[in-house]
Amino acid sequence: MTVAAPLVRDVSEWDDYVGRFAPSRSVEIRPRVAGEVTGIHFRDGEIVQKGQLLFSIDPRPFNAALAEARANAASARSTLALAQSDLGRATRLIADEAVSAGEVDSLRAKVQAAQAALAAADARLRVRALDVEFTQVRAPISGRISDRRVDAGNQVAGGEGTTGTVLTTINALDPIYFTFDGSEALYLKTQRARQPGTEPATVEIQLQDETEHRWKGKLDFTDNGLDQRSGTIRGRAVLANPGYFLTPGMFGNMRLASSGKAPALMVPDTAIQTDQARKVVLTIDAQNQVVARPVELGPVVDGLRIIRSGLTAKDRVIIAGTQMAMPGAKVTPRAGRIGAVEQAAAPTVSLPVAGEATIAN
């Protein structure tokens, strides 16, 4: 039979989650003013930039209201100028006692009233100018736009909040979010492994038709409490998406780095046996006798099983011929070697299925 020392390698362990992508920002485009849509300046589903013109609303009623506001402001300015002139003349006649103090007070009050009327007229002018500006509906964020909900020629309702007609929506896709729910056990494990002052945890995501976790990102948000009904906590990762390939609603398998690189003992899965409810590994002691060692198993990486406890790096593990080895029997071992799989970076590990999280809602 063949024996070998456990392979010692640095590995990075991961916890598995399932979730879906979501926009980093999402905006419903609604008009601020009511009127007839006269132009649509985008193609459905294209990428738009912040400030880009999307819809035009007939500006003629608002231009007329703006002209009226300008005339009212000019009239108020003229009234103020006249009131100030009258007050100035009366003030010069006070020394000659040609006017009474009551008349001067009355003229001063007229000046103050004219100033207030001009301020109100200027405010109305600014409101009318904003209404004209709002006839051009522009993109508040950059991202992918949905299809138009209204066509040119339709009347739309304007207003603040959610009272206006929805014209379309825009989703910001670079960066993009990945939302998921994690179990309380996985949350506790992540919290205990986190060191103060460390960088945000790294995540890697695999899409449904991919064989590798090729999308890289960072964990940027964990909710402030667990859902009492499901016992899960909501989390979010952020990923760069410069090509806009990823889109909201797509599902993916995410793995979250639960700890840094650490040395691990690894043996072939074929060297592990089951003894009732425990797992054991057969080893050879100094007298070449077979000894069964109870072990705690970790995940599999590159076809080798991580042994969390029960073995040391100097133990001689039976890796071939275990079917002929009986605990306590004396054998003649043949030296072997557990081969390492060469790769540039530390291997990544997928934890057992029991560690997976539920799909994000």
Side-chain angles (χ1 to χ4, degrees), residues 45-277:
E46 72 176 356
I47 300 298
V48 298
Q49 303 301 319
K50 181 178 181 179
Q52 180 177 332
L53 180 62
L54 303 178
F55 296 88
S56 294
I57 297 174
D58 187 1
R60 291 175 297 176
F62 304 101
N63 284 330
L66 177 60
E68 180 184 8
R70 284 173 177 162
N72 291 337
S75 176
R77 195 170 290 105
S78 177
T79 300
L80 174 60
L82 178 60
Q84 289 174 333
S85 178
D86 290 342
L87 178 60
R89 285 193 298 268
T91 302
R92 289 193 296 272
L93 294 175
I94 291 178
D96 299 332
E97 298 182 354
V99 295
S100 66
E103 290 180 64
V104 174
D105 290 341
S106 177
L107 291 173
R108 187 174 287 114
K110 287 183 179 180
V111 170
Q112 293 174 346
Q115 289 173 335
L118 177 59
D122 285 340
R124 287 191 291 271
L125 177 60
R126 291 192 293 271
V127 171
R128 298 295 177 244
L130 281 175
D131 287 343
V132 173
E133 182 180 341
F134 292 153
T135 61
Q136 293 188 333
V137 182
R138 298 183 179 274
I141 62 173
S142 299
R144 189 178 297 279
I145 196 168
S146 183
D147 60 335
R148 61 188 184 276
R149 307 291 174 82
V150 297
D151 292 315
N154 284 287
Q155 295 284 333
V156 294
E160 302 295 333
T162 59
T163 58
T165 304
V166 176
L167 302 178
T168 186
T169 60
I170 300 177
N171 286 335
L173 303 181
D174 185 22
I176 192 170
Y177 288 152
F178 185 84
T179 61
F180 59 94
D181 289 343
S183 67
E184 183 175 353
L186 289 177
Y187 173 74
L188 289 172
K189 178 182 175 182
T190 302
Q191 289 296 99
R192 296 187 191 283
R194 180 178 300 170
Q195 298 296 325
T198 56
E199 292 290 325
T202 302
V203 303
E204 297 182 355
I205 297 175
Q206 173 188 345
L207 303 183
Q208 298 299 309
D209 63 343
E210 295 177 340
T211 58
E212 297 180 353
H213 294 72
R214 58 179 293 246
W215 302 95
K216 316 296 182 183
K218 297 286 187 181
L219 184 69
D220 82 321
F221 166 76
T222 303
D223 209 351
N224 59 359
L226 276 78
D227 188 317
Q228 295 183 1
R229 294 171 297 178
S230 63
T232 60
I233 189 167
R234 186 165 56 94
R236 186 182 71 200
V238 59
L239 298 84
N241 187 30
Y244 298 103
F245 180 82
L246 302 174
T247 192
M250 292 174 60
F251 287 91
N253 298 315
M254 185 194 83
R255 57 189 188 187
L256 170 66
S258 60
S259 62
K261 296 178 182 178
L265 301 181
M266 307 171 71
V267 300
D269 242 352
T270 55
I272 299 169
Q273 297 185 348
T274 301
D275 181 9
Q276 294 183 349

Side-chain angles (χ1 to χ4, degrees), residues 278-294:
R278 64 178 185 171
K279 298 295 183 179
V280 298
V281 170
L282 298 180
T283 63
I284 303 297
D285 63 12
Q287 287 74 40
N288 289 336
Q289 286 186 336
V290 178
V291 178
R293 294 282 188 86

